[in-house]
Amino acid sequence: MATLSFNPTRIRTPGGLHLCKPKPRSLPFPQSIKTAKRFSADFRINQQLLRRFRSNSVSESSISVPDEVEVAVDEDEDEDEAEDDPTLELAYLDSETDPESITEWELDFCSRPILDIRGKKVWELVACDNSLSLQYTKYFPNNVINSITLRDAISSITEELGVPLPEKIRFFRSQMQTIITKACTELGVKPIPSKRCLSLLLWLEERYETVYTRHPGFQKGSKPLLALDNPFPMELPDNLFGERWAFVQLPFSAVQEEVSNLNASFMFGSSLDLDLLGIEIDDNTMIPGLSVASSRAQPLAAWINGMEVYSVEADTSRACLILSVGISTRYVYATYKKNPVTTAEAEAWEAAKKACGGLHFLAIQDDLDSEDCVGFWLLLDLPPPPV
């Protein structure tokens, strides 16, 4: 399940990346996107990355067995038991990963649909990196939830797993911003409010199915205490305005190529680890996107690059496009004249995005007729986690 940098990169045709050149009308939309072949996409978290965990309370040195054969059997049994017990906490670091290379974490600190022996909701800290090489969970009673508890818990991760403090920690709940920001600041870590915590979001969905629902204190039908915000979209700041825009499409193979070349080509943008996210899409499948043209494309791309862009949405009821950034900031990115034709085109674009499991992209260009791209962001619009 999720990075960035300058200069234009060449967008090639037909063997490479190709932004469909729109006709000069108010809402260009390639006809072929409406008739794209159906395909399947599996966006569940890559199961191979969910290693067999040992509980923090299990000590390998305390296990004694007669011989080597029994050692292997008992270790497997202990691992299976730890993996199957939903009450255990996790502390895992991939042995093949250099701890110094993990410089960014994704973190959630929130209540779970689980009651403790007092009948109060249990809180949980869940932390990982975007490759899931680091995975950590810890339960807390609801009467110790504050920045000091979180600060100490983050420090304990570094001690238990032997990793340095990260440079940045991303989190996606606006209600926890004060606590998380204070804890991170005291540790010298930069807090980043962002919904681009895709590995974490998918892992929470996985934990809901495999851990929380199997916990003896699970409360079926319990709604999340801290639901994600979806505020009314605001007016777009002047520095983010583009001059023209168009719905476009790229074959998935070209998207993969562009993502792989993103850092090497020194252009603004951010990619996703599609293999890690377990995304399986045919190379010829057309991925929907939005191309924005501006005579000041370079500074526009630079501004967007620092905003933790999460998604672009076509809102047919308001006849506009909505740009979501950070945790809960939503902008009216562009508008169009509402009529049956433009509504149908916007609905088709949203349907194509939904068919891709939320996968889409944003491209910044000097001109819509140009084959040069200044910025490219691969985006995945996920539903909110069930917790």
Side-chain angles (χ1 to χ4, degrees):
M1 332 171 232
T3 80
L4 17 167
S5 229
F6 318 139
N7 259 358
T9 183
R10 183 71 174 170
I11 296 185
R12 298 164 299 280
T13 62
L17 184 60
H18 174 58
L19 292 180
C20 301
K21 296 181 181 178
K23 297 179 180 179
R25 55 193 178 104
S26 60
L27 186 64
F29 194 104
Q31 178 68 23
S32 58
I33 201 169
K34 301 179 183 178
T35 58
K37 295 181 179 178
R38 297 184 62 185
F39 61 92
S40 62
D42 182 3
F43 287 85
R44 292 174 298 176
I45 197 166
N46 192 330
Q47 294 296 320
Q48 293 180 348
L49 292 162
L50 294 178
R51 316 285 186 177
R52 291 187 172 185
F53 303 100
R54 291 185 175 84
S55 162
N56 294 341
S57 62
V58 174
S59 172
E60 295 181 24
S61 60
S62 66
I63 302 175
S64 60
V65 284
D67 53 51
E68 294 182 358
V69 174
E70 292 183 5
V71 167
V73 173
D74 285 354
E75 284 182 348
D76 285 344
E77 290 177 352
D78 287 335
E79 288 179 359
D80 290 340
E81 289 176 4
E83 186 178 11
D84 292 338
D85 189 343
T87 66
L88 297 182
E89 298 167 336
L90 310 178
Y92 169 78
L93 179 66
D94 187 347
S95 60
E96 297 181 358
T97 299
D98 178 8
E100 299 290 335
S101 68
I102 302 177
T103 59
E104 298 184 9
W105 293 2
E106 299 175 4
L107 180 147
D108 185 39
F109 191 40
C110 189
S111 67
R112 301 299 183 228
I114 298 170
L115 298 184
D116 60 20
I117 58 175
R118 302 171 302 139
K120 304 296 183 180
K121 273 194 173 183
V122 172
W123 280 62
E124 183 187 40
L125 168 64
V126 174
C128 65
D129 70 324
N130 65 356
S131 69
L132 294 178
S133 297
L134 179 153
Q135 300 183 16
Y136 187 93
T137 70
K138 188 174 181 62
Y139 292 120
F140 294 89
N142 71 334
N143 58 358
V144 299
I145 304 306
N146 52 53
S147 62
I148 297 175
T149 296
L150 179 58
R151 179 199 64 194
D152 294 344
I154 293 174
S155 295
S156 70
I157 297 176
T158 66
E159 296 169 2
E160 289 185 46
L161 297 180
V163 298
L165 283 169
E167 297 173 3
K168 303 175 182 178
I169 289 182
R170 283 181 171 81
F171 61 95
F172 63 89
R173 296 190 199 271
S174 60
Q175 301 92 335
M176 296 302 295
Q177 185 160 357
T178 300
I179 288 179
I180 294 175
T181 298
K182 191 172 188 298
C184 288
T185 301
E186 291 180 1
L187 293 170
V189 176
K190 183 178 181 180
I192 300 181
S194 173
K195 282 187 179 180
R196 287 186 71 90
C197 303
L198 300 180
S199 296
L200 176 62
L201 291 170
L202 290 172
W203 188 25
L204 285 174
E205 182 179 345
E206 181 76 20
R207 283 183 63 75
Y208 181 82
E209 297 295 335
T210 62
V211 177
Y212 308 142
T213 58
R214 297 175 53 246
H215 195 285
F218 176 67
Q219 297 297 297
K220 186 175 181 180
S222 177
K223 295 183 178 180
L225 177 64
L226 303 179
L228 298 191
D229 293 335
N230 193 36
F232 192 82
M234 303 182 297
E235 183 178 346
L236 190 69
D238 291 342
N239 61 307
L240 297 182
F241 270 106
E243 294 158 13
R244 295 181 64 201
W245 63 272
F247 286 132
V248 294
Q249 58 182 342
L250 290 173
F252 184 62
S253 58
V255 170
Q256 289 178 304
E257 180 181 351
E258 187 62 22
V259 165
S260 66
N261 294 331
L262 185 60
N263 291 329
S265 61
F266 300 108
M267 73 173 175
F268 293 106
S270 186
S271 64
L272 303 173
D273 190 331
L274 301 179
D275 290 335
L276 177 67
L277 293 173
I279 296 176
E280 297 179 359
I281 302 178
D282 184 85
D283 284 348
N284 296 322
T285 298
M286 304 306 291
I287 306 300
L290 181 73
S291 177
V292 176
S294 172
S295 57
R296 40 185 286 280
Q298 282 282 357
L300 174 60
W303 277 105
I304 292 178
N305 202 48
M307 298 189 67
E308 294 291 317
V309 178
Y310 177 67
S311 71
V312 176
E313 171 191 352
D315 186 335
T316 55
S317 64
R318 298 188 182 99
C320 68
L321 303 182
I322 296 175
L323 178 70
S324 295
V325 303
I327 290 182
S328 57
T329 302
R330 303 171 77 228
Y331 293 119
V332 177
Y333 198 39
T335 60
Y336 57 89
K337 185 176 180 180
K338 189 174 184 178
N339 58 50
V341 174
T342 58
T343 297
E345 292 174 341
E347 288 176 345
W349 189 83
E350 273 297 318
K353 189 176 76 171
K354 184 177 180 180
C356 294
L359 190 66
H360 59 298
F361 64 87
L362 171 65
I364 303 297
Q365 297 179 276
D366 293 303
D367 189 275
L368 292 181
D369 294 325
S370 171
E371 293 184 353
D372 292 328
C373 184
V374 177
F376 187 92
W377 290 262
L378 188 59
L379 310 172
L380 184 60
D381 191 357
L382 291 176
V387 291

